[in-house]
Amino acid sequence: VNDPGAFWDGVYGGSRDHVYGTEPNAFLRAQATRLPLRGRALSVADGEGRNGVWLAGQGLSVLTVDLSPRGIDKARRLAAVRGVALDARHGDVLERPWGDERFDVVASIFLHSPPPVRPRLHGVLADALAPGGLLVLEAFHRRQLGRGSGGPPSVDLLFTADLLRADFAGLSILQLEEAEVVLDEGAKHRGPAEVVRLVARRPE
Ligand SMILES: C[S@@+](CC[C@H](N)C(=O)[O-])C[C@H]1O[C@@H](n2cnc3c(N)ncnc32)[C@H](O)[C@@H]1O
């Protein structure tokens, strides 16, 4: 994909529905008791905003960033419908549109990138954490290749637990697992799927 922002605009603009639904990712939701009661959260590659909106509903002050302006528009509308404040900005995570700000929570849900970019992008996420801040990440595992329940079509874009352990070596890992789960997250993420799940904390 030469222009991923335009690609995702086509996906999100082609449907009035939210293609991954309006409910949060199940793994993110399962971290509810680990979240601080207040503070600042960053939801990267938030698409149409389902995860940023949910984090805002948990009492956090949320910045959502995505490459797709159409996704950002839908995220703002979802926040308005839900009655929560959401700062949703069009931008590239690699360019750190939040500047030097640090966050108490960073969520990265189904953000995939190829080897030259992936460790750099994950470095940006680790850097965005305040001391003690929590990272929650779910992505498709390499074993997902060719399965119809979601994910990118190239093995280069898929992850393993070992890759994540190396990328986030500076963080304390609370949970890291490869799992087969049953996704029910909109029309594009549905059915049995192979994922990698990580929860990690930046040391104080
Ligand atoms: C599979 S969708 C997941 C959307 C959302 N996280 C969810 O689970 O509903 C991947 C998203 O990553 C975004 N994305 C990919 N690379 C990005 C980057 N470098 N910066 C910001 N967004 C990016 C795309 O625009 C797309 O919305």
Side-chain angles (χ1 to χ4, degrees), residues 1 65 77 103 124 130 134 141 163 188:
V1 179
V65 174
R77 260 181 278 139
F103 297 84
V124 169
L134 195 71
H141 190 274
L163 289 180
K188 285 174 78 75

Side-chain angles (χ1 to χ4, degrees), residues 4-5 8 12 20 25 44-48 50-51 65-68 91-94 109-112 121 189:
W8 287 103
Y12 300 141
Y20 301 110
N25 167 254
V44 294
D46 203 20
E48 300 162 301
R50 63 190 181 117
N51 297 311
V65 174
D66 198 277
L67 279 178
S68 161
D92 186 334
V93 172
L94 285 167
I109 304 298
F110 301 120
L111 170 57
H112 299 95
L121 195 145
H189 282 171

